[in-house]
Amino acid sequence: MKVEYRQKTITEKVFVASDGKEFSTEQACKEHEEYLDGTRKKCERCNGTGRINQHTEKIFDEMLVKMVDVEFDDPCPACQGKGYLKKTTEWR
């Protein structure tokens, strides 16, 4: 038996934003740069989650014949569930 050592090189496509942060997808890099240049900001109403009114209610499940916890959340009306606002003539 013979042991050999070989060196392999791997080429990976990486998108680098203007601040030096690296991303694996072009879309994620573009979104990050929009935050940097001020054309996009996190929704302040939902804190970037895209959902409001998050709460848990107990309801009766007929299949299990017991009360179960069910989570309810509604899309944020300010950002329509996106979690961010884009700059136009006003913030939307």
Side-chain angles (χ1 to χ4, degrees):
M1 176 172 71
K2 180 169 92 173
V3 177
E4 293 182 1
Y5 294 97
R6 297 181 183 168
Q7 183 177 4
K8 295 183 179 182
T9 57
I10 299 172
T11 305
E12 180 182 13
K13 187 175 186 177
V14 178
F15 299 93
V16 181
S18 59
D19 65 345
K21 192 170 181 181
E22 296 181 353
F23 296 90
S24 58
T25 64
E26 184 178 6
Q27 183 65 29
C29 186
K30 286 181 180 179
E31 290 173 0
H32 179 71
E33 286 190 335
E34 286 178 351
Y35 282 112
L36 292 177
D37 66 12
T39 58
R40 179 186 280 212
K41 72 176 184 176
K42 183 169 66 169
C43 180
E44 295 169 355
R45 183 162 184 193
C46 64
N47 201 23
T49 61
R51 300 286 181 197
I52 58 169
N53 297 333
Q54 296 176 343
H55 62 280
T56 304
E57 292 182 5
K58 288 195 173 288
I59 62 168
F60 183 74
D61 187 355
E62 296 173 0
M63 297 291 286
L64 299 174
V65 190
K66 67 176 187 175
M67 298 295 281
V68 294
D69 292 332
V70 177
E71 291 185 11
F72 290 96
D73 57 346
D74 299 324
C76 176
C79 64
Q80 287 80 37
K82 297 181 290 187
Y84 62 88
L85 303 170
K86 289 198 95 162
K87 185 177 182 181
T88 57
T89 54
E90 60 182 306
W91 288 102
R92 289 190 179 184

Coordinates of all heavy atoms in Angstrom, one line a residue:
M1 N 0.8 -1.2 0.0 CA 0.0 0.0 0.0 C 0.9 1.2 0.0 O 1.9 1.3 0.6 CB -0.9 0.0 1.2 CG -1.7 1.2 1.3 SD -3.0 1.2 2.6 CE -2.0 1.3 4.1
K2 N 0.4 2.2 -0.7 CA 1.2 3.5 -0.8 C 0.3 4.6 -0.4 O -0.9 4.7 -0.8 CB 1.6 3.6 -2.3 CG 2.4 4.8 -2.6 CD 3.1 4.7 -4.0 CE 2.2 5.3 -5.0 NZ 2.7 5.4 -6.3
V3 N 0.8 5.6 0.3 CA 0.1 6.8 0.7 C 0.6 8.0 -0.1 O 1.8 8.2 -0.1 CB 0.2 7.1 2.2 CG1 -0.5 8.3 2.6 CG2 -0.3 5.9 3.1
E4 N -0.4 8.7 -0.7 CA 0.0 9.9 -1.5 C -0.8 11.1 -0.9 O -1.9 10.9 -0.5 CB -0.3 9.7 -2.9 CG 0.5 8.6 -3.6 CD 0.1 8.5 -5.1 OE1 -0.7 9.3 -5.6 OE2 0.7 7.6 -5.8
Y5 N -0.1 12.2 -1.0 CA -0.8 13.5 -0.6 C -1.0 14.3 -1.8 O 0.0 14.5 -2.6 CB 0.1 14.2 0.4 CG 0.2 13.5 1.8 CD1 1.3 12.7 2.0 CD2 -0.8 13.6 2.7 CE1 1.4 12.0 3.2 CE2 -0.7 13.0 3.9 CZ 0.4 12.2 4.2 OH 0.5 11.5 5.4
R6 N -2.2 14.7 -2.0 CA -2.5 15.5 -3.2 C -3.2 16.8 -2.7 O -4.0 16.8 -1.8 CB -3.5 14.8 -4.1 CG -2.8 13.6 -4.7 CD -3.7 12.9 -5.6 NE -3.1 11.6 -6.1 CZ -3.7 10.7 -6.7 NH1 -5.0 10.8 -7.0 NH2 -3.1 9.6 -7.1
Q7 N -3.0 17.9 -3.4 CA -3.6 19.1 -3.1 C -4.7 19.4 -4.1 O -4.5 19.3 -5.3 CB -2.6 20.3 -3.2 CG -3.1 21.6 -2.8 CD -2.1 22.7 -2.8 OE1 -0.9 22.5 -3.1 NE2 -2.5 23.9 -2.4
K8 N -5.9 19.8 -3.6 CA -7.0 20.1 -4.5 C -7.4 21.5 -4.3 O -7.4 22.0 -3.2 CB -8.2 19.2 -4.1 CG -8.0 17.7 -4.4 CD -9.2 16.9 -4.1 CE -9.0 15.5 -4.4 NZ -10.2 14.7 -4.2
T9 N -7.8 22.1 -5.4 CA -8.3 23.5 -5.3 C -9.7 23.5 -5.6 O -10.2 22.8 -6.5 CB -7.5 24.4 -6.3 OG1 -7.6 23.9 -7.6 CG2 -6.0 24.5 -5.9
I10 N -10.5 24.3 -4.9 CA -11.9 24.5 -5.1 C -12.2 25.9 -5.4 O -11.8 26.8 -4.7 CB -12.7 24.0 -3.8 CG1 -12.4 22.6 -3.4 CG2 -14.2 24.3 -3.9 CD1 -12.9 22.2 -2.1
T11 N -13.0 26.1 -6.4 CA -13.4 27.4 -6.8 C -14.9 27.6 -6.4 O -15.7 26.8 -6.7 CB -13.3 27.6 -8.4 OG1 -12.0 27.3 -8.7 CG2 -13.7 29.0 -8.8
E12 N -15.1 28.7 -5.7 CA -16.5 28.9 -5.2 C -16.9 30.3 -5.6 O -16.1 31.3 -5.5 CB -16.5 28.8 -3.7 CG -17.8 29.1 -3.0 CD -17.8 29.0 -1.5 OE1 -16.7 29.0 -1.0 OE2 -18.8 29.0 -0.9
K13 N -18.1 30.5 -6.1 CA -18.6 31.8 -6.5 C -19.2 32.5 -5.3 O -20.1 32.0 -4.7 CB -19.7 31.6 -7.6 CG -20.2 32.9 -8.2 CD -21.2 32.6 -9.3 CE -21.6 33.8 -10.1 NZ -22.5 33.5 -11.2
V14 N -18.6 33.7 -5.0 CA -19.0 34.4 -3.9 C -19.3 35.8 -4.3 O -18.6 36.4 -5.1 CB -17.9 34.4 -2.8 CG1 -18.3 35.3 -1.6 CG2 -17.6 33.0 -2.4
F15 N -20.4 36.4 -3.8 CA -20.7 37.8 -4.1 C -20.3 38.7 -2.9 O -20.7 38.4 -1.7 CB -22.2 37.9 -4.3 CG -22.7 37.1 -5.4 CD1 -23.2 35.8 -5.2 CD2 -22.7 37.6 -6.7 CE1 -23.6 35.0 -6.3 CE2 -23.1 36.8 -7.8 CZ -23.5 35.5 -7.6
V16 N -19.5 39.7 -3.1 CA -19.0 40.6 -2.1 C -19.7 41.9 -2.2 O -19.6 42.6 -3.2 CB -17.4 40.7 -2.3 CG1 -16.9 41.6 -1.2 CG2 -16.8 39.3 -2.3
A17 N -20.2 42.3 -1.0 CA -20.9 43.6 -1.0 C -19.9 44.7 -0.8 O -18.7 44.5 -0.6 CB -21.9 43.7 0.2
S18 N -20.3 46.0 -0.9 CA -19.4 47.1 -0.9 C -18.7 47.2 0.5 O -17.6 47.8 0.6 CB -20.2 48.4 -1.2 OG -21.2 48.6 -0.3
D19 N -19.3 46.7 1.6 CA -18.6 46.7 2.9 C -17.7 45.5 3.1 O -17.1 45.4 4.2 CB -19.6 46.9 4.0 CG -20.5 45.7 4.1 OD1 -20.6 44.8 3.2 OD2 -21.2 45.6 5.1
G20 N -17.6 44.6 2.2 CA -16.7 43.5 2.3 C -17.4 42.2 2.8 O -16.8 41.1 2.8
K21 N -18.7 42.2 3.1 CA -19.4 41.1 3.5 C -19.6 40.1 2.3 O -20.0 40.6 1.3 CB -20.7 41.5 4.2 CG -21.3 40.3 5.0 CD -22.5 40.9 5.8 CE -23.1 39.7 6.6 NZ -24.2 40.2 7.4
E22 N -19.5 38.8 2.5 CA -19.6 37.9 1.4 C -20.9 37.1 1.5 O -21.4 36.8 2.6 CB -18.5 36.9 1.5 CG -17.1 37.5 1.3 CD -16.0 36.4 1.3 OE1 -16.3 35.3 1.6 OE2 -14.9 36.8 1.0
F23 N -21.5 36.9 0.4 CA -22.8 36.2 0.3 C -22.7 35.1 -0.8 O -22.0 35.2 -1.7 CB -23.9 37.2 -0.1 CG -24.2 38.2 0.9 CD1 -23.5 39.4 0.8 CD2 -25.1 38.0 1.9 CE1 -23.7 40.4 1.8 CE2 -25.3 39.0 2.9 CZ -24.6 40.2 2.8
S24 N -23.5 34.0 -0.6 CA -23.5 32.9 -1.5 C -24.5 33.2 -2.7 O -24.4 32.5 -3.7 CB -23.8 31.6 -0.8 OG -25.1 31.7 -0.2
T25 N -25.5 34.1 -2.5 CA -26.4 34.4 -3.6 C -26.4 35.8 -3.9 O -26.1 36.7 -3.1 CB -27.9 34.0 -3.2 OG1 -28.3 34.9 -2.1 CG2 -28.0 32.6 -2.8
E26 N -26.6 36.1 -5.2 CA -26.6 37.5 -5.7 C -27.7 38.3 -5.1 O -27.6 39.5 -4.7 CB -26.7 37.5 -7.2 CG -26.6 38.8 -7.8 CD -26.7 38.8 -9.4 OE1 -27.0 37.7 -9.9 OE2 -26.5 39.9 -10.0
Q27 N -28.9 37.7 -4.9 CA -30.1 38.4 -4.3 C -29.8 38.9 -2.9 O -30.1 40.0 -2.5 CB -31.3 37.5 -4.4 CG -32.6 38.1 -3.9 CD -33.0 39.3 -4.8 OE1 -32.7 39.3 -6.0 NE2 -33.7 40.3 -4.2
A28 N -29.2 38.0 -2.1 CA -28.9 38.4 -0.7 C -27.9 39.5 -0.7 O -28.0 40.4 0.2 CB -28.3 37.2 0.0
C29 N -26.9 39.5 -1.6 CA -25.9 40.6 -1.6 C -26.6 41.9 -2.0 O -26.3 43.0 -1.5 CB -24.8 40.2 -2.6 SG -23.5 41.4 -2.7
K30 N -27.5 41.9 -3.0 CA -28.2 43.1 -3.4 C -29.1 43.6 -2.3 O -29.1 44.9 -2.1 CB -29.1 42.8 -4.7 CG -28.3 42.6 -5.9 CD -29.2 42.4 -7.1 CE -28.5 42.2 -8.4 NZ -29.4 41.9 -9.5
E31 N -29.8 42.8 -1.6 CA -30.6 43.2 -0.5 C -29.7 43.9 0.6 O -30.1 44.9 1.2 CB -31.4 42.0 0.1 CG -32.5 41.6 -0.8 CD -33.1 40.3 -0.3 OE1 -32.8 39.8 0.8 OE2 -34.0 39.8 -1.0
H32 N -28.6 43.3 0.9 CA -27.7 43.9 1.9 C -27.2 45.2 1.5 O -27.1 46.2 2.3 CB -26.5 42.9 2.2 CG -25.5 43.4 3.2 ND1 -25.8 43.5 4.5 CD2 -24.3 43.9 3.0 CE1 -24.8 44.0 5.1 NE2 -23.8 44.3 4.3
E33 N -26.9 45.4 0.2 CA -26.4 46.7 -0.3 C -27.5 47.7 -0.3 O -27.2 48.9 -0.1 CB -25.8 46.6 -1.7 CG -24.4 45.9 -1.6 CD -23.7 46.0 -2.9 OE1 -24.3 46.1 -4.0 OE2 -22.4 45.9 -2.9
E34 N -28.8 47.3 -0.4 CA -29.9 48.3 -0.3 C -30.0 48.8 1.1 O -30.3 49.9 1.3 CB -31.2 47.6 -0.8 CG -31.3 47.4 -2.2 CD -32.6 46.7 -2.7 OE1 -33.3 46.2 -1.8 OE2 -32.8 46.7 -3.9
Y35 N -29.7 47.9 2.1 CA -29.7 48.4 3.5 C -28.6 49.4 3.7 O -28.7 50.4 4.4 CB -29.6 47.2 4.5 CG -30.8 46.4 4.7 CD1 -31.0 45.1 4.2 CD2 -31.9 47.0 5.4 CE1 -32.1 44.4 4.5 CE2 -33.1 46.3 5.6 CZ -33.2 45.0 5.2 OH -34.3 44.3 5.4
L36 N -27.4 49.1 3.1 CA -26.3 50.0 3.3 C -26.5 51.4 2.7 O -26.1 52.4 3.3 CB -25.0 49.3 2.7 CG -24.5 48.1 3.4 CD1 -23.3 47.5 2.6 CD2 -24.1 48.4 4.8
D37 N -27.0 51.4 1.4 CA -27.2 52.7 0.8 C -28.5 53.5 1.2 O -28.7 54.6 0.7 CB -27.0 52.6 -0.7 CG -28.2 51.8 -1.4 OD1 -29.2 51.5 -0.7 OD2 -28.0 51.5 -2.6
G38 N -29.3 52.8 2.0 CA -30.5 53.5 2.5 C -31.7 53.5 1.7 O -32.7 54.2 2.0
T39 N -31.8 52.6 0.7 CA -33.0 52.5 -0.1 C -33.9 51.4 0.5 O -35.0 51.2 0.0 CB -32.7 52.1 -1.5 OG1 -31.9 50.9 -1.6 CG2 -31.9 53.2 -2.2
R40 N -33.5 50.7 1.5 CA -34.3 49.7 2.2 C -34.1 49.8 3.7 O -32.9 50.0 4.1 CB -34.0 48.3 1.7 CG -34.7 47.2 2.3 CD -34.2 45.8 1.9 NE -34.7 45.5 0.6 CZ -35.0 44.3 0.2 NH1 -34.7 43.3 1.0 NH2 -35.5 44.0 -1.0
K41 N -35.1 49.6 4.5 CA -34.9 49.6 5.9 C -35.9 48.6 6.6 O -36.9 48.2 6.0 CB -35.1 51.0 6.6 CG -36.6 51.5 6.6 CD -36.7 52.8 7.4 CE -38.1 53.2 7.5 NZ -38.2 54.5 8.3
K42 N -35.5 48.1 7.8 CA -36.3 47.2 8.5 C -37.6 47.8 8.9 O -37.6 48.9 9.4 CB -35.5 46.6 9.7 CG -36.2 45.5 10.4 CD -35.4 44.9 11.4 CE -34.9 45.8 12.5 NZ -34.3 45.1 13.6
C43 N -38.7 47.1 8.8 CA -40.0 47.6 9.2 C -40.0 47.8 10.7 O -39.7 46.8 11.5 CB -41.1 46.7 8.8 SG -42.8 47.2 9.3
E44 N -40.4 49.0 11.2 CA -40.3 49.2 12.6 C -41.6 48.7 13.4 O -41.5 48.4 14.5 CB -40.2 50.7 12.9 CG -38.9 51.3 12.4 CD -38.8 52.8 12.3 OE1 -39.9 53.4 12.6 OE2 -37.8 53.3 12.0
R45 N -42.7 48.5 12.6 CA -43.9 48.0 13.3 C -43.8 46.6 13.7 O -44.2 46.1 14.8 CB -45.1 48.3 12.4 CG -46.4 47.9 13.0 CD -47.5 48.4 12.3 NE -48.8 48.1 13.1 CZ -49.9 48.2 12.6 NH1 -50.1 48.8 11.4 NH2 -51.0 47.9 13.3
C46 N -43.2 45.7 12.8 CA -43.1 44.3 13.1 C -41.7 43.9 13.4 O -41.5 42.7 13.6 CB -43.6 43.5 11.9 SG -42.7 43.7 10.4
N47 N -40.8 44.8 13.5 CA -39.4 44.6 13.8 C -38.7 43.6 12.8 O -37.9 42.8 13.1 CB -39.2 44.1 15.2 CG -37.8 44.3 15.7 OD1 -37.1 45.1 15.2 ND2 -37.5 43.5 16.7
G48 N -39.2 43.7 11.5 CA -38.5 42.9 10.5 C -39.1 41.4 10.3 O -38.6 40.7 9.5
T49 N -40.1 41.1 11.2 CA -40.6 39.7 11.1 C -41.6 39.5 10.0 O -41.9 38.4 9.5 CB -41.2 39.2 12.4 OG1 -42.3 40.1 12.7 CG2 -40.1 39.3 13.5
G50 N -42.3 40.6 9.7 CA -43.4 40.6 8.7 C -44.7 40.1 9.3 O -45.7 40.0 8.6
R51 N -44.8 39.9 10.6 CA -46.0 39.4 11.3 C -46.3 40.2 12.5 O -45.3 40.7 13.2 CB -45.8 37.9 11.7 CG -45.6 37.0 10.6 CD -46.8 36.8 9.8 NE -46.6 35.9 8.7 CZ -47.4 35.8 7.7 NH1 -48.5 36.5 7.6 NH2 -47.2 34.9 6.7
I52 N -47.5 40.4 12.8 CA -48.0 41.1 14.0 C -49.1 40.2 14.7 O -49.5 39.3 14.1 CB -48.5 42.5 13.8 CG1 -49.6 42.5 12.8 CG2 -47.4 43.4 13.3 CD1 -50.4 43.8 12.7
N53 N -49.5 40.6 15.9 CA -50.5 39.9 16.6 C -50.2 38.5 16.8 O -51.0 37.6 16.7 CB -51.9 40.1 15.9 CG -52.4 41.5 15.8 OD1 -52.0 42.3 16.6 ND2 -53.2 41.8 14.8
Q54 N -49.0 38.2 17.2 CA -48.6 36.8 17.4 C -49.1 36.4 18.8 O -48.8 37.0 19.8 CB -47.1 36.6 17.3 CG -46.5 36.9 16.0 CD -45.0 36.8 16.0 OE1 -44.4 36.9 17.0 NE2 -44.5 36.7 14.8
H55 N -50.0 35.4 18.8 CA -50.5 34.9 20.1 C -50.9 33.5 20.0 O -51.1 33.0 18.9 CB -51.7 35.8 20.6 CG -52.9 35.8 19.7 ND1 -52.9 36.5 18.5 CD2 -54.0 35.1 19.7 CE1 -54.1 36.3 17.9 NE2 -54.7 35.4 18.6
T56 N -51.1 32.8 21.1 CA -51.5 31.4 21.1 C -52.8 31.3 21.8 O -53.1 31.9 22.8 CB -50.4 30.6 21.9 OG1 -49.2 30.8 21.3 CG2 -50.8 29.1 21.9
E57 N -53.7 30.6 21.1 CA -55.0 30.3 21.7 C -55.3 28.8 21.8 O -54.8 28.0 21.1 CB -56.1 30.9 20.8 CG -56.1 32.4 20.7 CD -57.2 32.9 19.9 OE1 -58.1 32.1 19.4 OE2 -57.3 34.2 19.7
K58 N -56.0 28.5 22.8 CA -56.4 27.1 23.0 C -57.7 26.9 22.2 O -58.7 27.6 22.4 CB -56.6 26.8 24.5 CG -55.4 26.7 25.2 CD -55.6 26.0 26.6 CE -54.3 25.7 27.3 NZ -53.5 24.7 26.8
I59 N -57.8 25.9 21.4 CA -59.0 25.5 20.7 C -59.2 24.0 20.8 O -58.3 23.3 21.1 CB -58.9 25.9 19.2 CG1 -57.8 25.2 18.4 CG2 -58.8 27.4 19.0 CD1 -57.9 25.3 16.9
F60 N -60.5 23.6 20.6 CA -60.8 22.2 20.7 C -60.6 21.5 19.4 O -61.1 21.9 18.4 CB -62.3 22.1 21.1 CG -62.7 20.7 21.3 CD1 -62.4 20.0 22.5 CD2 -63.5 20.0 20.4 CE1 -62.7 18.7 22.7 CE2 -63.9 18.7 20.6 CZ -63.5 18.0 21.7
D61 N -59.7 20.5 19.4 CA -59.4 19.7 18.2 C -60.3 18.4 18.3 O -60.1 17.6 19.2 CB -57.9 19.4 18.2 CG -57.5 18.7 16.9 OD1 -58.4 18.4 16.1 OD2 -56.3 18.5 16.7
E62 N -61.2 18.3 17.4 CA -62.1 17.2 17.4 C -61.4 15.9 17.0 O -61.8 14.8 17.5 CB -63.2 17.4 16.4 CG -64.1 18.6 16.7 CD -65.1 18.9 15.6 OE1 -65.1 18.2 14.6 OE2 -65.9 19.9 15.8
M63 N -60.3 15.9 16.3 CA -59.6 14.7 15.9 C -58.9 14.2 17.2 O -58.8 12.9 17.4 CB -58.5 15.0 14.9 CG -59.1 15.5 13.5 SD -60.1 14.2 12.7 CE -58.7 13.2 12.1
L64 N -58.3 15.0 18.0 CA -57.6 14.6 19.2 C -58.5 14.5 20.4 O -58.2 14.0 21.5 CB -56.4 15.5 19.5 CG -55.4 15.5 18.4 CD1 -54.3 16.5 18.7 CD2 -54.7 14.1 18.2
V65 N -59.7 15.1 20.3 CA -60.7 15.3 21.4 C -60.0 15.9 22.6 O -60.1 15.3 23.7 CB -61.4 13.9 21.7 CG1 -62.5 14.1 22.7 CG2 -61.8 13.2 20.5
K66 N -59.4 17.0 22.4 CA -58.8 17.7 23.5 C -58.5 19.2 23.1 O -58.6 19.5 21.9 CB -57.5 17.1 24.0 CG -56.4 17.1 23.1 CD -55.1 16.5 23.7 CE -53.9 16.6 22.8 NZ -52.7 16.2 23.4
M67 N -58.1 20.0 24.0 CA -57.7 21.4 23.7 C -56.3 21.4 23.3 O -55.4 20.8 23.9 CB -57.9 22.3 25.0 CG -59.4 22.3 25.4 SD -60.4 23.1 24.3 CE -60.1 24.8 24.6
V68 N -55.9 22.1 22.2 CA -54.6 22.2 21.8 C -54.2 23.7 21.6 O -55.1 24.5 21.4 CB -54.4 21.5 20.4 CG1 -54.5 20.0 20.6 CG2 -55.3 21.9 19.4
D69 N -53.0 24.0 21.7 CA -52.5 25.4 21.4 C -52.3 25.6 19.9 O -51.7 24.8 19.2 CB -51.2 25.6 22.1 CG -51.3 25.7 23.6 OD1 -52.4 26.0 24.1 OD2 -50.3 25.3 24.4
V70 N -52.8 26.7 19.4 CA -52.7 27.1 18.0 C -52.1 28.5 18.0 O -52.6 29.4 18.6 CB -54.0 27.0 17.3 CG1 -53.9 27.4 15.8 CG2 -54.6 25.6 17.3
E71 N -51.1 28.7 17.2 CA -50.5 30.0 17.0 C -51.2 30.8 15.9 O -51.4 30.2 14.8 CB -49.0 29.9 16.8 CG -48.2 29.4 18.0 CD -46.7 29.4 17.7 OE1 -46.3 30.0 16.7 OE2 -46.0 28.8 18.5
F72 N -51.5 32.0 16.2 CA -52.1 32.9 15.2 C -51.2 34.1 14.9 O -50.6 34.6 15.9 CB -53.5 33.4 15.6 CG -54.5 32.4 15.7 CD1 -54.8 31.8 16.8 CD2 -55.2 32.1 14.5 CE1 -55.8 30.8 16.9 CE2 -56.2 31.1 14.6 CZ -56.5 30.5 15.7
D73 N -51.0 34.5 13.7 CA -50.3 35.7 13.4 C -50.8 36.3 12.1 O -51.1 35.5 11.2 CB -48.8 35.5 13.4 CG -48.3 34.5 12.4 OD1 -49.1 33.7 11.9 OD2 -47.1 34.4 12.2
D74 N -50.8 37.6 12.0 CA -51.3 38.3 10.8 C -50.2 39.0 10.1 O -49.2 39.4 10.8 CB -52.4 39.3 11.2 CG -53.6 38.6 11.9 OD1 -54.0 37.5 11.5 OD2 -54.1 39.3 12.9
P75 N -50.3 39.1 8.8 CA -49.2 39.9 8.1 C -49.3 41.3 8.6 O -50.3 41.9 8.8 CB -49.6 39.8 6.6 CG -50.6 38.7 6.5 CD -51.2 38.5 7.9
C76 N -48.1 41.9 8.6 CA -48.0 43.3 9.1 C -48.6 44.2 8.0 O -48.2 44.1 6.8 CB -46.5 43.7 9.3 SG -46.2 45.4 9.7
P77 N -49.5 45.1 8.4 CA -50.1 46.0 7.4 C -49.1 47.1 6.9 O -49.3 47.6 5.7 CB -51.3 46.7 8.1 CG -50.9 46.6 9.6 CD -50.1 45.3 9.7
A78 N -48.1 47.4 7.6 CA -47.2 48.4 7.1 C -46.3 47.9 6.0 O -46.0 48.6 5.0 CB -46.3 48.9 8.3
C79 N -45.8 46.7 6.1 CA -44.9 46.2 5.1 C -45.5 45.0 4.3 O -44.8 44.4 3.5 CB -43.6 45.7 5.7 SG -43.8 44.3 6.9
Q80 N -46.8 44.7 4.5 CA -47.5 43.6 3.8 C -46.8 42.3 4.0 O -46.7 41.4 3.1 CB -47.6 43.9 2.3 CG -48.7 45.0 2.0 CD -48.1 46.4 2.1 OE1 -47.0 46.6 1.9 NE2 -49.0 47.3 2.6
G81 N -46.2 42.1 5.1 CA -45.6 40.8 5.5 C -44.1 40.6 4.9 O -43.6 39.5 5.1
K82 N -43.5 41.6 4.3 CA -42.2 41.5 3.8 C -41.1 41.6 4.8 O -40.1 41.0 4.7 CB -42.0 42.5 2.7 CG -42.9 42.3 1.5 CD -42.5 43.4 0.4 CE -43.0 44.7 0.9 NZ -42.9 45.8 -0.1
G83 N -41.4 42.4 5.9 CA -40.4 42.7 6.9 C -39.5 43.8 6.7 O -38.6 44.2 7.5
Y84 N -39.6 44.5 5.5 CA -38.8 45.6 5.2 C -39.6 46.7 4.4 O -40.7 46.3 3.8 CB -37.6 45.2 4.4 CG -37.9 44.6 3.0 CD1 -38.0 45.4 1.9 CD2 -38.0 43.3 2.9 CE1 -38.3 44.9 0.7 CE2 -38.3 42.7 1.7 CZ -38.5 43.5 0.6 OH -38.8 43.0 -0.6
L85 N -39.1 47.9 4.4 CA -39.8 49.0 3.6 C -38.8 49.4 2.6 O -37.6 49.6 2.9 CB -40.2 50.1 4.5 CG -41.1 49.7 5.7 CD1 -41.2 50.9 6.6 CD2 -42.5 49.4 5.1
K86 N -39.2 49.7 1.3 CA -38.3 50.3 0.3 C -38.6 51.8 0.2 O -39.7 52.2 0.3 CB -38.6 49.6 -1.0 CG -38.1 48.1 -1.0 CD -38.0 47.6 -2.4 CE -36.6 47.8 -2.8 NZ -36.1 47.1 -3.9
K87 N -37.6 52.5 -0.1 CA -37.7 53.9 -0.2 C -38.2 54.3 -1.6 O -37.7 53.9 -2.6 CB -36.3 54.6 0.0 CG -36.4 56.1 0.0 CD -35.0 56.6 0.3 CE -35.0 58.1 0.4 NZ -33.6 58.6 0.6
T88 N -39.3 55.0 -1.6 CA -39.8 55.7 -2.9 C -39.9 57.1 -2.5 O -39.0 57.7 -1.9 CB -41.2 55.1 -3.2 OG1 -42.1 55.3 -2.1 CG2 -41.1 53.6 -3.5
T89 N -41.0 57.8 -2.9 CA -41.1 59.2 -2.4 C -41.5 59.2 -1.0 O -41.3 60.2 -0.3 CB -42.2 59.9 -3.3 OG1 -43.4 59.2 -3.3 CG2 -41.7 60.1 -4.7
E90 N -42.0 58.1 -0.5 CA -42.3 57.9 0.9 C -41.9 56.4 1.3 O -41.8 55.6 0.4 CB -43.7 58.2 1.2 CG -44.7 57.3 0.5 CD -46.1 57.6 0.8 OE1 -46.5 57.7 1.9 OE2 -46.9 57.8 -0.2
W91 N -41.8 56.1 2.5 CA -41.4 54.8 2.9 C -42.6 53.8 2.8 O -43.7 54.1 3.3 CB -40.9 54.7 4.4 CG -39.6 55.3 4.5 CD1 -39.3 56.6 5.0 CD2 -38.3 54.8 4.2 NE1 -38.0 56.8 5.0 CE2 -37.3 55.7 4.5 CE3 -37.9 53.6 3.7 CZ2 -36.0 55.5 4.3 CZ3 -36.6 53.3 3.5 CH2 -35.6 54.3 3.8
R92 N -42.4 52.8 2.0 CA -43.5 51.8 1.8 C -43.0 50.4 2.1 O -41.9 50.0 1.7 CB -44.0 51.8 0.4 CG -44.8 53.0 0.1 CD -45.5 52.9 -1.2 NE -46.2 54.2 -1.3 CZ -47.0 54.4 -2.3 NH1 -47.2 53.5 -3.2 NH2 -47.7 55.5 -2.4

